[in-house]
Amino acid sequence: MNRTLKLNQVDDQFIKQIEQNSGQKLNNCYQCGKCTAGCPIAHSTEFPPHKIMRMLQLGIKEPVLASATIWLCLSCVTCTARCPKEVDLAHIMDSLRELAIKEGVTQARKQPIKLFEKLFLDAIKQHGKLYEMGTLARFNLLTLQPVKDLELLWPLLKKGKLKFTPESINDLEKLAQIFKSSQS
Amino acid sequence: MKIGVFICHCGNNISAAVGVELVARHALRLPGVVCAHTIHHACSEPGQLLIQKCIREKGLNRVVIGACSPRVHEATFQRVLVQAGLNPYLLELANLREQCSWVHEDREAATRKAIDLIDMAVGKVARLQPLLSSKVDVNKRTLVIGGGIAGIQAALDVADSGHEVVLVERTPTIGGNMARMDKVFPTLDCSACILTPKMVELATHPNITLHTYSEVEQVSGFVGNFKVQIRKKARLVDMEKCTGCGACTLKCPIKAPAEFNLGLDKRGAVYIPFPQAVPHIPVIDKSICTYVLKKKCGLCQKICPTDAIAFEQQDEVLEEEFGAIIVATGYELMDWTVYGEYGHGKYKDVITSLQYERILSASGPTGGHIRRPSDGKEPEVIAIIACVGSRDAAHGRPYCSSVCCMYSAKYAMLTREHLPNSRVYIFYMDIRAYSKMYEEFVQRAQEKYGANYVRGRVSKVFERNGRLVLQGADTLLGQPVELEADLVVLAVGITGTASTIALAKKLNISHDEYGFLTESHPKLRPVESSTPGIFIAGACQSPKDIPLTVAQASSAASKVLGLISHDKLETSPLVAEVNIRRCVGCFRCLDVCPFSAIEEQVLRDGSKVARVNPALCQGCGLCSAICPPAAIALSGFTDDQLISQMEGLCSQNPV
């Protein structure tokens, strides 16, 4: 990222695509930094949210799609809620994740995050509710780290925060319809 | 002798550093002092009433007030004395704020100094004598210098209220820099549409006399009574006969860079600066006309249908009298070619903001089509570099030129309107859009017109493969950037002009190191110059946009109207006076007087002595200080009074 950026080689197509998918106008951002100021994961990433916005304005594609930020984003929507220019940055993050998957930009260190999101959705799809025990067990096994976070198991069980068996909602039929329509 | 001493707390401006109670107790022990009080705000109503009460009840005949600088409240306290029935010149102010509490931290030392200052004031006040001011007539005519939007607005405002105005403009037409502009922010109305009607109104106004191509040569006199010499330069065209048909300008074979278009195209030796010029009458450039230089050509004279070319015409010097003067001489762009990193001016496609105005303008050299100067091609990528010669201490321009942020946004909009497929980049440091509808304007440039703002100064511009390359940085990204552009517009900083400095010397008004005229008080007297009766308006005072310039011009006009609404003016009695029995006629006073107030007076025995014209004297005291036999005394500052003041300081009064 430290070489000179050629402003003439702006990726217009990328800018248009993100604007279209997110419904947001990138130029509306005036780089005040309030999104980064309130972002709970900003400290743990190379490109905090305001910098992602600036890179998008300049059409910088690969580093954005390959960044950890878009996967670390918790979708807490604090950025969107507080943005003075009413830019829905959380929505832009969604669009970036979507595009990253579509374009196959999945570097090794982002794989677990992607996997976790998939397992999370799988559980919802199956039960209509989160099944923590199952999701965590599958995640640990698939990422080849079976004892990860094991020390938390006993305290969580004691407080009744984890259950061994899944619970399901009543109308799983309707849920299936929702998933179906969201994928079309 | 009954002296009253009043020590002001000034909120805590004075009392925070000075033991005011101690100072007051000390004052009570001084000779002649019958009462001493401290007051929280001497200038406030309760403060003024207390002083008046003491004057009446204690029968005070001299007053000492220890407060702020006389520049701030001397007039206020003089009025207090008058209302209590005392002569206003029986007052002495001790400056305990600017010259004591504000500049000292050690409370004990500051208190000692305050006591010294009070000792001096009490020493002097005892010797003060009542003084009476005289009255002089006020001339009701106003001179406006400068025919840009500021001068035009000020002249119209004064003339509309029924007073006579003379407007003097240095160039052949009025209109100033605003006439060069295409559309103006924040509403993007065309400059010509709002300016040219005012120009015509001014030229045809029954109360306004317009002298274009004229300069103020000499100024003497004082508020209410200025004498001004105006040089009407020979136009070599008879303004009575000329119909402004322009035939001569088309035929003239000589060519020179056109000033109005800032050198983007050429004009003849006989030319009309621009199509909407007022007066719409050509002028002959004597420095290049071959008929003037070598008596050859004379084509214009031969083809002029009304025989208006007048090579024999000479400069004319007018002597006029005025009561007030408004200076509205405008601004220039600083000489940006000192920036070697932007090419010293060697790249044709690196132009200034005012040149870009001309390129955008429908009446400009390209007919309002954006074409770059080098090859006349439409540029695809246009880069604007802000703050060239602004906020740049290294180039002697530490100040903000205040209008560049706004016109840069304007250029982005206009460029994208003219060339929808172009890309516009603005390299900036901060965006300053503080006024009504300004921030929204800049936002619109970014959101609706797609202006690309890059935060960071451009380090270098150079040529590569026929394109201009800008080396910059995006400080928001934290990365160097590079842009290939077809046209680079420099938002060049605004500066005062050399001709304004020369004029300021003639008018005896002050200016700063950048050539901007200095106002009398930055907050409370923003349109008054340092000399009474001379007012300033527009960008000659500081960089200013059109709305602010017009507001300031109207403000200066209202100050003039306030002045000339009086038939007579009171003059200050604090003037110098010559003791003719002592004067030896050396006239060194005449040499040093900055106001030409010293005259020769022949006595009955034929000897010559000096005399002070009290109407011209401003009481500066230079003559009094330089007079070898000490024959000149300045009222209110006589030797007797000053020595008494020094005795107060040296008396070692017990603290």
Side-chain angles (χ1 to χ4, degrees):
Chain A
M1 266 303 281
N2 274 326
R3 62 199 174 81
T4 301
L5 176 74
K6 311 269 189 201
L7 292 175
N8 297 77
Q9 294 161 14
V10 169
D11 191 342
D12 275 335
Q13 209 46 47
F14 178 52
I15 294 175
K16 262 186 211 140
Q17 199 171 7
I18 294 299
E19 289 198 334
Q20 213 160 38
N21 292 355
S22 66
Q24 304 302 308
K25 194 128 184 1
L26 297 177
N27 259 4
N28 280 13
C29 168
Y30 57 20
Q31 287 287 298
C32 69
K34 203 176 176 190
C35 46
T36 294
C39 176
I41 61 105
H43 63 277
S44 59
T45 166
E46 187 187 357
F47 305 133
H50 80 276
K51 202 158 173 180
I52 292 282
M53 275 307 291
R54 183 63 190 146
M55 290 160 86
L56 290 179
Q57 287 177 335
L58 294 167
I60 301 172
K61 186 173 174 181
E62 275 73 31
V64 170
L65 291 188
S67 74
T69 312
I70 63 175
W71 298 108
L72 288 174
C73 167
L74 302 168
S75 299
C76 71
V77 205
T78 306
C79 49
T80 300
R82 293 179 185 168
C83 176
K85 294 298 304 282
E86 299 180 284
V87 175
D88 188 348
L89 182 49
H91 200 153
I92 291 174
M93 290 291 179
D94 275 340
S95 306
L96 288 171
R97 282 189 287 265
E98 231 172 63
L99 194 65
I101 292 169
K102 205 168 125 193
E103 306 234 327
V105 188
T106 44
Q107 288 178 19
R109 64 177 282 238
K110 277 115 213 175
Q111 281 291 16
I113 303 174
K114 209 183 126 195
L115 175 67
F116 183 85
E117 300 212 340
K118 184 186 171 296
L119 296 178
F120 182 94
L121 276 179
D122 282 351
I124 302 282
K125 207 172 182 176
Q126 214 177 336
H127 308 293
K129 272 187 172 181
L130 183 58
Y131 173 38
E132 290 92 349
M133 187 68 91
T135 307
L136 289 175
R138 287 178 69 196
F139 181 77
N140 279 8
L141 286 173
L142 286 170
T143 53
L144 305 177
Q145 40 186 354
V147 292
K148 184 178 183 290
D149 299 328
L150 202 63
E151 71 279 9
L152 292 174
L153 184 66
W154 180 239
L156 288 170
L157 282 172
K158 213 166 69 176
K159 286 191 175 175
K161 297 290 179 190
L162 279 182
K163 291 200 170 70
F164 283 101
T165 51
E167 284 176 17
S168 289
I169 58 165
N170 294 331
D171 200 349
L172 282 169
E173 194 69 28
K174 204 157 201 171
L175 182 75
Q177 278 171 14
I178 293 174
F179 268 94
K180 205 175 165 193
S181 66
S182 74
Q183 270 161 356
S184 60
Chain B
M1 189 64 51
K2 287 183 172 177
I3 304 170
V5 178
F6 302 90
I7 311 292
C8 183
H9 286 250
C10 193
N12 62 4
N13 274 296
I14 294 172
S15 55
V18 171
V20 287
E21 298 296 341
L22 194 69
V23 177
R25 276 205 300 278
H26 164 80
L28 212 46
R29 293 200 290 266
L30 297 175
V33 174
V34 295
C35 74
H37 294 280
T38 63
I39 312 177
H40 275 281
H41 287 284
C43 54
S44 69
E45 195 187 15
Q48 296 190 17
L49 289 176
L50 175 73
I51 297 169
Q52 289 178 353
K53 187 167 161 244
C54 289
I55 293 173
R56 291 202 187 93
E57 289 180 359
K58 304 257 167 66
L60 301 180
N61 52 19
R62 297 287 188 281
V63 175
V64 169
I65 299 175
C68 50
S69 160
R71 283 180 64 96
V72 184
H73 277 318
E74 186 171 48
T76 310
F77 294 129
Q78 282 182 334
R79 272 197 301 276
V80 172
L81 265 65
V82 170
Q83 282 162 7
L86 270 187
N87 183 285
Y89 297 94
L90 297 175
L91 165 75
E92 185 63 20
L93 292 182
N95 185 348
L96 301 189
R97 196 176 71 171
E98 284 84 342
Q99 292 177 353
C100 189
S101 67
W102 275 359
V103 288
H104 298 300
E105 284 172 1
D106 181 341
R107 188 176 169 85
E108 202 181 309
T111 306
R112 267 205 308 278
K113 178 170 169 181
I115 285 171
D116 284 346
L117 290 169
I118 293 297
D119 284 346
M120 291 164 74
V122 171
K124 185 181 170 197
V125 83
R127 304 293 178 114
L128 289 182
Q129 296 298 322
L131 299 171
L132 295 174
S133 53
S134 53
K135 294 200 165 178
V136 292
D137 289 335
V138 176
N139 188 315
K140 306 277 181 180
R141 301 173 83 226
T142 302
L143 171 67
V144 176
I145 307 172
I149 181 60
I152 291 173
Q153 182 69 35
L156 285 174
D157 282 359
V158 175
D160 280 344
S161 61
H163 295 281
E164 211 182 314
V165 177
V166 172
L167 190 142
V168 173
E169 165 59 41
R170 192 165 50 97
T171 69
T173 173
I174 54 170
N177 277 317
M178 186 177 168
R180 289 186 162 123
M181 290 167 192
D182 177 41
K183 296 198 168 75
V184 284
F185 62 80
T187 40
L188 291 187
D189 32 8
C190 89
S191 179
C193 310
I194 56 177
L195 177 67
T196 48
K198 272 187 184 288
M199 290 161 63
V200 176
E201 189 185 345
L202 182 127
T204 54
H205 201 293
N207 290 337
I208 299 179
T209 310
L210 174 60
H211 297 304
T212 52
Y213 208 42
S214 303
E215 279 183 67
V216 168
E217 192 123 295
Q218 209 185 1
V219 182
S220 60
F222 53 94
V223 53
N225 295 275
F226 292 106
K227 285 191 181 63
V228 181
Q229 276 185 9
I230 300 164
R231 175 175 292 272
K232 289 199 75 162
K233 289 178 281 187
R235 233 184 157 93
L236 306 189
V237 175
D238 188 327
M239 294 182 74
E240 300 290 318
K241 288 185 188 164
C242 176
T243 60
C245 73
C248 53
T249 64
L250 298 175
K251 289 283 185 239
C252 180
I254 313 295
K255 292 284 174 260
E259 294 88 350
F260 190 78
N261 287 334
L262 300 135
L264 287 171
D265 65 352
K266 307 236 174 197
R267 57 157 173 86
V270 56
Y271 66 102
I272 299 177
F274 64 106
Q276 297 81 25
V278 171
H280 194 260
I281 287 176
V283 57
I284 292 176
D285 182 345
K286 293 183 270 293
S287 67
I288 55 166
C289 172
T290 48
Y291 189 86
V292 173
L293 296 174
K294 300 182 242 172
K295 293 273 176 268
K296 281 180 186 157
C297 182
L299 199 57
C300 50
Q301 200 168 31
K302 284 176 202 125
I303 61 155
C304 177
T306 57
D307 201 17
I309 303 292
F311 286 118
E312 70 289 350
Q313 213 178 57
Q314 296 291 322
D315 286 6
E316 200 184 333
V317 177
L318 310 172
E319 294 261 2
E320 305 240 6
E321 292 188 4
F322 301 98
I325 299 176
I326 296 176
V327 186
T329 47
Y331 69 93
E332 275 174 6
L333 299 187
M334 68 91 75
D335 176 19
W336 74 270
T337 58
V338 296
Y339 283 87
E341 59 267 44
Y342 301 154
H344 278 308
K346 74 177 168 198
Y347 304 125
K348 278 189 173 169
D349 293 329
V350 178
I351 60 171
T352 68
S353 40
L354 272 182
Q355 285 177 318
Y356 199 49
E357 294 282 354
R358 295 311 300 145
I359 288 178
L360 289 166
S361 168
S363 65
T366 55
H369 300 291
I370 301 179
R371 298 188 191 288
R372 59 185 199 169
S374 64
D375 54 9
K377 278 194 191 138
E378 274 185 6
E380 279 169 34
V381 177
I382 293 106
I384 299 164
I385 306 180
C387 288
V388 178
S390 296
R391 304 175 66 194
D392 187 351
H395 286 89
R397 303 280 158 191
Y399 56 88
C400 167
S401 289
S402 90
V403 292
C404 325
C405 286
M406 288 301 291
Y407 71 60
S408 295
K410 175 184 86 173
Y411 290 162
M413 293 181 179
L414 297 180
T415 305
R416 296 270 292 166
E417 267 175 14
H418 280 73
L419 307 172
N421 292 325
S422 63
R423 282 178 176 278
V424 182
Y425 290 86
I426 299 175
F427 292 86
Y428 71 103
M429 294 206 294
D430 296 292
I431 299 171
R432 298 179 169 184
Y434 57 91
S435 204
K436 190 175 179 176
M437 298 199 299
Y438 282 17
E439 175 63 20
E440 297 92 316
F441 185 84
V442 173
Q443 297 292 322
R444 207 158 71 235
Q446 296 177 31
E447 293 164 17
K448 301 273 185 302
Y449 290 83
N452 300 295
Y453 276 77
V454 183
R455 191 182 180 282
R457 267 189 197 267
V458 171
S459 153
K460 191 179 176 184
V461 178
F462 59 96
E463 223 166 19
R464 189 171 67 200
N465 306 329
R467 284 192 112 180
L468 292 161
V469 182
L470 287 84
Q471 267 182 4
D474 188 323
T475 63
L476 298 170
L477 200 62
Q479 204 182 329
V481 296
E482 192 182 282
L483 176 72
E484 286 185 10
D486 305 302
L487 181 66
V488 176
V489 181
L490 306 178
V492 179
I494 281 177
T495 170
T497 70
S499 55
T500 298
I501 295 177
L503 181 69
K505 293 206 163 68
K506 289 175 192 166
L507 291 167
N508 191 35
I509 58 178
S510 39
H511 60 85
D512 66 18
E513 59 193 298
Y514 314 111
F516 295 116
L517 299 174
T518 314
E519 63 280 11
S520 182
H521 187 284
K523 291 185 276 287
L524 300 179
R525 293 164 67 83
V527 295
E528 287 93 332
S529 76
S530 49
T531 298
I534 302 181
F535 303 89
I536 54 185
C540 63
Q541 183 251 347
S542 72
K544 224 170 253 97
D545 58 19
I546 295 165
L548 211 53
T549 296
V550 170
Q552 207 187 21
S554 289
S555 161
S558 84
K559 285 286 169 190
V560 164
L561 293 174
L563 169 66
I564 61 179
S565 67
H566 299 281
D567 292 325
K568 286 186 182 293
L569 278 185
E570 255 187 31
T571 59
S572 165
L574 298 176
V575 293
E577 209 175 345
V578 181
N579 180 346
I580 54 169
R581 277 177 297 184
R582 279 194 173 185
C583 177
V584 295
C586 70
F587 291 106
R588 293 179 67 179
C589 49
L590 194 141
D591 295 335
V592 296
C593 178
F595 307 100
S596 313
I598 310 275
E599 301 163 351
E600 273 187 10
Q601 184 186 4
V602 183
L603 299 180
R604 264 179 294 179
D605 63 357
S607 61
K608 283 180 182 171
V609 294
R611 200 185 84 88
V612 176
N613 179 342
L616 292 178
C617 178
Q618 298 292 311
C620 72
L622 280 180
C623 55
S624 168
I626 204 157
C627 180
I632 304 183
L634 181 63
S635 305
F637 298 89
T638 62
D639 285 355
D640 174 42
Q641 289 159 356
L642 295 182
I643 289 165
S644 179
Q645 189 175 22
M646 286 304 115
E647 279 170 352
L649 177 65
C650 303
S651 59
Q652 299 291 324
N653 287 313
V655 173

